[in-house]
Amino acid sequence: MFCRIVAGEIPATMVRETPTTLAFRDIDPKAPVHVLVIPKEHYADVATLAQGDSALAGEVLATAAAVAEDEGLLGDGFRLMFNTGTYGGQEVFHAHAHLLGGAPLGPMLARSVA
Ligand code: AMP
């Protein structure tokens, strides 16, 4: 699915592009700022990305930080999250970071699962 955004076959609201990464607004935002940051190259999730190309994983983080700065999130803070696999609630199997901010985000999980 996100490969089709990289290919320009599906429209997205881009906020930043680098030679290796893309950042675009989530279609169903969960916070005032909700941006997805992806590697252009396909990796199914953050674990395969980090193990397959750690430099590219770092570029995803650097793009997320640049977007956080552009969106004015550095002062009050933000959350950067990679849902991974079934227990992680991942729905789209192209590695992506959720950059969330613009309001207090509350606890990390809606309820404890411990
Ligand atoms: P995850 O559960 O971590 O896999 O999150 C997938 C995210 O992708 C969700 O927050 C969706 O709202 C978002 N999403 C799905 N399709 C699109 C799309 N075409 N453009 C932007 N965001 C999308």
Side-chain angles (χ1 to χ4, degrees):
M1 143 88 81
F2 290 166
C3 283
R4 298 188 66 199
I5 291 178
V6 174
E9 295 168 6
I10 294 178
T13 305
M14 297 295 165
V15 296
R16 180 169 280 262
E17 179 170 10
T18 74
T20 56
T21 68
L22 274 185
F24 52 91
R25 297 202 188 279
D26 195 290
I27 204 167
D28 181 19
K30 312 297 189 301
V33 176
H34 188 173
V35 171
L36 302 178
V37 185
I38 67 168
K40 289 181 179 175
E41 189 177 345
H42 182 83
Y43 286 92
D45 57 41
V46 69
T48 54
L49 169 62
Q51 291 175 339
D53 189 339
S54 58
L56 181 56
E59 287 163 27
V60 169
L61 295 184
T63 297
V67 174
E69 182 169 34
D70 288 348
E71 299 284 328
L73 303 182
L74 295 188
D76 289 328
F78 58 89
R79 186 168 295 161
L80 192 62
M81 193 173 79
F82 290 87
N83 295 330
T84 305
T86 305
Y87 278 13
Q90 186 177 5
E91 293 176 349
V92 177
F93 286 84
H94 182 126
H96 55 280
H98 292 260
L99 173 66
L100 298 151
L105 298 172
M108 186 170 63
L109 298 173
R111 62 182 175 80
S112 171
V113 294

